[in-house]
Every structure is written in C-alpha cells, then in structure tokens.
Amino acid sequence: MVDVLADIWDRVLRTLQKNHSNIWRSWFEQIEPISLENGWLRIGVPERSWQQYLMQTCNESLKEAVQEITGHLISLEYVYTDQENILESDLANYQGDETGIFYFSPDYTFDNFVVGPCNRLAHAACVAVSESPGHTYNPLFIHGSVGLGKTHLLQATCQSLLKQDKQRRITYMSCETFVNDFIRAVEEGKLYDFRYNYRHVDVLVIDDVQFLTERERSQEEFFHTFNTLYQSRKQIILSADCSPAEIPKLEERLVSRFNQGLVTRIDKPCYETRMAILHKKAQMRGIEPPEEVICFIARKIERNTRELEGALTKIHGMAMLYDGKITLELARQALGEEPTPPGRQISISQIIDAVSNCFNVRLSDLQGKRRSRSIAFPRQVCMYLARDLTAHSLEEIGGYFGGRDHTTVLHAYRNIDRLYDNDEKTRFLVDGLVVGLTQR
Ligand code: ADP
Ligand code: MG
C-alpha cells in the first residue's frame, strides 16, 4: 500500500513539475504522502511555511494532478508533521495581511539568499540580529530600490528567529498594514488593543516604511511604539526604498530614531552576483539551464533581481511548452533582442534625448517648471530611467531637471515604478526606452 501511495505521489510530483514549472520547488522532493483514504490524500510537511505555500499556491494544480493520475475526485490535506513543536499559540506569532495572519515564504530564507558585494553588509547585519535580537544593531534599517531583496532578508531573519525559538513573539508586516490597522483602531475606538498588540512583541519588523510619508498621526503612533520597544530592548527591523533622511515628510525625530542603529543599503547586484542568484533560483526550481543561458540572462537583465527571476521563469515556461530543453536560442527568443555588452555607461543626456524624441517635448520643457501632464510624465520617466540606468544620486538627478530636490525625484521614481507594474502602456514604453538606450 505504501509503495502504491509513494508511486502515485511520485507521478503527481512529476506531473506538477512538467505542467506547473513556475510553482515547482526542489524541496517538494522532501514531502511525504501519509495516506489516501475516503477521497482524502494527506500530505505531511515539516515546516509551517511549506504548508501555507502548498495550500495557497499549489492546491488547485496539485489536486488536478492527483485526480488525473488516480482517476478519482480527491481532496488534499496538508498536515504539519512537527508534532513536538505544535503550540496553541503558534498562529498568534504571525500577523499581517487582511486576514490578520501572515505567513512567510519558504523561498525567503538565508539559505536561499545569495551574498555579494551589493548586499554583504545588510545580510551580515540580519544574520547578527537573528543571532542576538535586541543586542547588536537596534534598530536595523535596510534600504534599496525595488526588487533588490529587502523583503527576502526581513523574512529570512524572522524565519531564522522563529526556528531558534518558536515561542518568540514576532510581528512582521508591511507598513501599509500598520497604517491601516491604526486607522481602523482609531475608527473603532480600539486604540488600547492596538497598542497592546504592537507593544507586546519581542521583535517588530516593518517592511516598506516609506509608506509613513505624509501620514502624520500614524507617524506619531509609530514613534511611541518604537520608543516603547526600543526602551525595553526589543529588536526593531525596518526597510524602505530609500534612506531615512530621504523619506519625504518624515518627522525629524523619527529620522533620528531610525539612524540610531545601523542603516545599510542594498545596491544592484553586479554581474557575478546575478549569475550566482540565477544558479540559486534554478536550483530551487529543480532545473539546470546551460551555463551560456545563465550568462545570457545575467548580461541582459541588470535592473533588479525580481526581473532576473522573472526572465528565468519565462524561459523555463517557454521550454516546457516545447520539449523541456532550455537552450540559448530559446532564451534569446523569450527575452527578445541580442544581449547588451556589459559595463556600458549611459548618461543623463542620452536619456533626455531618448525621452524627448519619444514624447516630442523639448529639453527646456523637461528642465522647466511646467507641471501639465504632457510634460510632467516624460520628466518623471527621465528621472526614473536616470535612477535606474545611471549611478547619479537623487540630488544630482534633481539638479539636471531644473534644480528639483531629491524628494521630487523619489516621488517620480515611485510613480513610474508603480505604473510600470500596473499599466501595460507604461511598461511597454519604459521597456522600449531601456532597450533603445542599452542596446545602441
Ligand atoms: P524588495 O523587497 O527589495 O523589493 P524582494 O525581497 O521582494 O525585493 O526581492 C525580489 C526577488 O528577488 C525575490 O524573489 C527575492 O528572492 C529575489 N532576490 C533578491 N535579492 C536576492 C539575493 N541576494 N539572493 C537571492 N534572491 C534574491
Ligand atoms: Mg519588498
């Protein structure tokens, strides 16, 4: 019976790997089926985060595969097998999204994080904090632009802390959730509960604190939460897309609190780190693309790590549509054009040229004061590209565009970045400009 079950499970995994390569992870090999009875397949997992990943990301695909292979209607149950460590309070450790419960991603562990010159200090600080929370760097503040691994490091730190001591009270959440929670508490007259929840934790981790911009009352509340925890030597870890001083309209006293501990930046990964990250991601997905494909992606995608991963997923997905083989030819097709020669320097004036041609606006308009959308949008695109493609600081970029200050540049960057994620037209336009600038 056990053999039959093992055989079914093995075939299920192979089917999943073949048809749903994007969600497949190499740790699936370690999952054990427990029983198949009365239309239920019970699957044992040793980690909470695995259980969540399977339930939320894979349940439908897994069910489909199980039904295809057995020819029966079957439901799945994911059982947490680490019985010794099951605690009544287990779930209370996590807080977060709309449902009030937050789960960490099994992908975001220290083991899966590649260390390079761009993130060495941030990584070392997180490891140190996970080893002695509240004592080394407090608060720890990590900043860097999108897709460079801030959330990954924060979650890895939390997971490592929980691994060492499951009783630890860790609150991890995005700053947006904190703000929304606060607003709701005020509206419902439940400030006491809110304060109790946030101030009785061992570790408070808040992702993307730039969200505090212009939220005065939330800043005030955050300030007091911070002080209470700090004074009782509880660990605080924060991330943002810029340094504390660069967060627009952040109260001075908060800036100085954030600067009290360690502030460290993550930069864009260099070529070697990009290669190592691709190797790691491939390994996690149980695939082995040829070295030339890894080099090709690492040369071609420089903007951030999230896109690097996206490229790998895309190529892998395309390969699965054919014979499963990943080749350079296929990678070229999947990512379009020829690779860029490495190390090319792009100047702000090249960016301005490209953007003014594309939108048919004049240099003097881009540098001038007019704020109509027909000018403001191209200007924001310029600033976005300048931040992404050149090494200039926010101040320097502001200087090029009529002496605007760094907060304006940051605002522009965020605006275009958001549109890039949510609006196909903007993405198409930005990608076109980037290709034009990097492939000349
Ligand atoms: P951020 O929060 O800074 O916007 P994320 O933490 O969401 O970035 O990272 C985006 C993606 O890139 C994630 O899938 C993450 O695992 C991956 N990533 C970023 N840096 C690294 C790294 N050094 N090693 C492995 N994966 C990384
Ligand atoms: Mg993030």
Side-chain angles (χ1 to χ4, degrees):
M1 177 61 197
V2 171
D3 284 350
V4 175
L5 186 57
D7 181 54
I8 290 177
W9 183 244
D10 195 53
R11 283 162 58 200
V12 166
L13 287 188
R14 297 287 83 82
T15 308
L16 192 70
Q17 187 171 22
K18 182 155 166 284
N19 298 344
H20 300 278
S21 53
N22 55 331
I23 54 177
W24 169 269
R25 293 291 179 272
S26 42
W27 51 261
F28 287 7
E29 305 283 1
Q30 295 172 48
I31 307 170
E32 303 265 354
I34 299 172
S35 62
L36 177 58
E37 291 165 347
N38 308 327
W40 283 91
L41 175 61
R42 285 159 67 84
I43 298 162
V45 292
E47 304 272 349
R48 274 250 182 263
S49 63
W50 292 14
Q51 189 187 23
Q52 278 310 308
Y53 182 88
L54 292 170
M55 211 140 73
Q56 285 170 351
T57 315
C58 314
N59 197 38
E60 287 310 307
S61 320
L62 264 172
K63 223 157 62 183
E64 215 176 86
V66 173
Q67 295 182 357
E68 187 185 315
I69 280 156
T70 58
H72 295 292
L73 270 180
I74 286 176
S75 303
L76 303 176
E77 187 184 8
Y78 307 95
V79 187
Y80 184 43
T81 51
D82 190 4
Q83 295 295 340
E84 284 167 33
N85 279 311
I86 290 192
L87 300 170
E88 276 300 303
S89 61
D90 229 10
L91 289 181
N93 273 327
Y94 307 89
Q95 290 200 19
D97 61 12
E98 258 59 31
T99 59
I101 296 177
F102 186 87
Y103 295 96
F104 299 114
S105 161
D107 284 351
Y108 293 172
T109 60
F110 283 135
D111 281 347
N112 289 338
F113 192 82
V114 172
V115 182
C118 55
N119 58 30
R120 193 177 304 284
L121 188 58
H123 172 264
C126 284
V127 171
V129 161
S130 75
E131 282 163 1
S132 56
H135 294 283
T136 33
Y137 308 113
N138 203 16
L140 172 59
F141 190 105
I142 294 179
H143 66 104
S145 47
V146 283
L148 295 184
K150 300 182 297 293
T151 299
H152 186 142
L153 271 183
L154 259 46
Q155 290 202 15
T157 310
C158 294
Q159 299 199 67
S160 166
L161 281 163
L162 275 178
K163 237 193 172 114
Q164 297 163 52
D165 180 358
K166 286 210 156 66
Q167 307 270 15
R168 258 189 193 125
R169 290 164 304 171
I170 298 182
T171 290
Y172 166 94
M173 63 176 49
S174 73
C175 188
E176 193 170 355
T177 307
F178 177 88
V179 170
N180 291 341
D181 250 21
F182 173 64
I183 294 171
R184 199 174 321 128
V186 171
E187 281 169 4
E188 295 174 0
K190 292 190 176 153
L191 260 182
Y192 178 84
D193 294 342
F194 175 91
R195 290 190 175 135
Y196 185 88
N197 283 340
Y198 281 92
R199 296 180 191 183
H200 286 81
V201 299
D202 300 316
V203 181
L204 178 67
V205 185
I206 308 260
D207 206 354
D208 291 321
V209 293
Q210 73 272 3
F211 200 78
L212 283 175
T213 300
E214 293 181 15
R215 290 179 173 78
E216 281 165 33
R217 285 201 61 196
S218 300
Q219 287 192 23
E220 166 94 27
E221 184 63 30
F222 191 77
F223 180 77
H224 295 298
T225 307
F226 185 103
N227 284 344
T228 309
L229 291 172
Y230 184 77
Q231 276 154 17
S232 43
R233 311 202 84 191
K234 303 297 187 193
Q235 179 71 46
I236 300 158
I237 313 176
L238 307 165
S239 85
D241 66 359
C242 57
S243 73
E246 288 172 333
I247 299 178
K249 304 223 169 87
L250 185 68
E251 280 183 45
E252 197 42 49
R253 57 180 183 168
L254 269 177
V255 174
S256 81
R257 284 290 185 282
F258 292 172
N259 280 323
Q260 258 164 19
L262 179 72
V263 176
T264 168
R265 193 175 75 187
I266 305 187
D267 290 310
K268 279 187 218 173
C270 61
Y271 178 68
E272 286 75 15
T273 308
R274 295 202 297 279
M275 292 278 291
I277 291 174
L278 284 164
H279 277 293
K280 174 61 83 183
K281 300 284 176 194
Q283 182 208 341
M284 285 162 64
R285 284 150 201 258
I287 51 172
E288 285 180 46
E291 196 61 14
E292 55 181 8
V293 170
I294 300 272
C295 293
F296 172 74
I297 308 175
R299 268 205 310 276
K300 187 147 176 62
I301 312 260
E302 299 177 90
R303 282 156 52 92
N304 72 44
T305 309
R306 192 173 295 159
E307 286 176 31
L308 210 58
E309 200 173 352
L312 189 66
T313 308
K314 189 166 172 197
I315 294 168
H316 185 199
M318 253 175 90
M320 298 315 276
L321 289 179
Y322 302 110
D323 55 0
K325 260 226 182 86
I326 298 176
T327 62
L328 185 58
E329 178 61 24
L330 186 97
R332 286 220 162 97
Q333 252 181 42
L335 302 192
E337 327 71 27
E338 292 294 297
T340 17
R344 273 189 47 106
Q345 296 283 323
I346 292 167
S347 67
I348 292 197
S349 49
Q350 283 172 323
I351 293 175
I352 293 180
D353 275 355
V355 173
S356 49
N357 272 334
C358 172
F359 289 92
N360 205 10
V361 291
R362 290 187 309 252
L363 172 65
S364 57
D365 285 330
L366 292 174
Q367 294 183 323
K369 295 270 173 262
R370 281 176 53 197
R371 302 175 85 173
S372 63
R373 188 178 148 79
S374 62
I375 305 292
F377 183 67
R379 189 186 289 136
Q380 290 194 338
V381 171
C382 280
M383 293 179 181
Y384 175 82
L385 292 173
R387 184 171 191 210
D388 245 11
L389 301 177
T390 75
H392 291 290
S393 68
L394 296 172
E395 282 79 11
E396 286 167 346
I397 296 170
Y400 272 91
F401 295 93
R404 290 178 157 82
D405 71 6
H406 72 267
T407 54
T408 310
V409 181
L410 204 58
H411 171 73
Y413 183 84
R414 289 193 184 124
N415 190 35
I416 301 300
D417 193 60
R418 207 189 61 239
L419 288 169
Y420 185 91
D421 283 342
N422 300 316
D423 173 52
E424 204 157 332
K425 254 172 117 179
T426 306
R427 186 158 53 238
F428 184 75
L429 192 124
V430 169
D431 283 346
L433 283 164
V434 170
V435 168
L437 283 161
T438 52
Q439 321 254 318
R440 273 190 303 195

